[in-house]
Amino acid sequence: MKKIFPMIVFSCMTAVVLLICIYRSLPREDVAEKAPEVADATMAVDATPETDTTVEIDAMSETEAVQGKEVAGETEATQDETRRVALTFDDGPHPVYTVKLLDGLAERDVQATFFVIGENIPGNEEIIARMDQEGHLIGNHTYDHVKITDLSVEDACEQVEKTSALVKEITGKDTEYVRPPFGSWRKDLECSFEMIPVLWDVDPLDWTTCNVSDVVRRVLEAVEPDDIILLHDYYESSVDAALLIVDALTEQGYVFVTVDELILE
Ligand code: NI
């Protein structure tokens, strides 16, 4: 018993010391572990309303602003960058193909510019009248398709004046827009009415082929906003191509105007 008693006392004391140590250590650990959580929670609460919400609101405003700008930009682009294009037809009127073209343009509510040859007008007066009535612009392509630069000033003026007189008899208007055959124009030409030479931007050389899709492809590959497209209403393939071009460009958002709208700006 003498040996056991001190062992029991020692064990009890050790146990007490251990218990004290455990007791001290436990609460400290709890506080130590919880304190940061509380601190974090406080920060989180603080952060949520002040930081996160603000950021969210700012972010929303920015998003809305960007979208607003984009929407505004799109609207401006639509208004400022209307894709306009002018179809022009030389060498008519043709008694069959020009009528077919006018029918097709009327169906699509599209206006074009016709540079007519004077000698093709007699017998086709109704076609000229119809062009005018349906809002097309009638221009001048000389009387018998001559190269202006090969002529004297007098002869050159006679070519355009004779054609203009025939048109004026039908429509009451002069043909102030002139497309010089072969694109050759002389600037010193002063005839009895004001003349504005009109060349072109896109020339698919439609008169060199009967292949409609070739003509369509050549135009669609080259065309850009505000371009003037050169075609001839004297060939059926050109007329068929023209109407397909109208449909394709309409789908691309192009609006068809007469050349005066592109030139007079
Ligand atoms: Ni011509």
Side-chain angles (χ1 to χ4, degrees), residues 34-189:
K34 282 176 185 173
E37 276 177 21
V38 171
D40 283 349
T42 313
M43 283 173 69
V45 169
D46 286 345
T48 304
E50 284 175 19
T51 317
D52 291 352
T53 313
T54 312
V55 167
E56 266 174 35
I57 289 168
D58 285 349
M60 280 178 70
S61 318
E62 278 170 23
T63 312
E64 281 169 4
V66 169
Q67 284 173 345
K69 276 179 204 164
E70 281 174 0
V71 170
E74 278 172 19
T75 311
E76 279 167 22
T78 311
Q79 286 171 350
D80 295 340
E81 296 171 25
T82 302
R83 306 171 96 190
R84 300 177 307 170
V85 69
L87 282 175
T88 64
F89 296 94
D90 288 9
D91 295 3
H94 186 281
V96 176
Y97 306 139
T98 304
V99 172
K100 185 179 181 182
L101 176 60
L102 287 172
D103 289 344
L105 294 176
E107 271 174 36
R108 293 161 176 79
D109 194 22
V110 162
Q111 276 71 45
T113 305
F114 290 87
F115 292 101
V116 297
I117 292 178
E119 68 177 358
N120 287 343
I121 294 175
N124 293 316
E125 289 85 351
E126 280 183 20
I127 297 175
I128 297 291
R130 185 179 166 192
M131 286 175 182
D132 184 53
Q133 286 159 10
E134 296 182 0
H136 304 292
L137 181 64
I138 301 172
N140 194 318
H141 198 46
T142 74
Y143 187 79
D144 47 17
H145 210 270
V146 288
K147 195 171 183 179
I148 293 282
T149 46
D150 285 349
L151 305 177
S152 65
V153 170
E154 292 75 25
D155 288 348
C157 279
E158 193 189 345
Q159 282 282 326
V160 289
E161 283 169 352
K162 223 169 139 182
T163 302
S164 194
L166 286 171
V167 173
K168 196 171 185 176
E169 217 171 279
I170 302 163
T171 67
K173 301 167 194 166
D174 274 319
T175 54
E176 60 180 330
Y177 295 91
V178 179
R179 160 131 328 131
F182 317 104
S184 59
W185 181 248
R186 48 190 300 169
K187 290 178 181 172
D188 63 342
L189 212 55

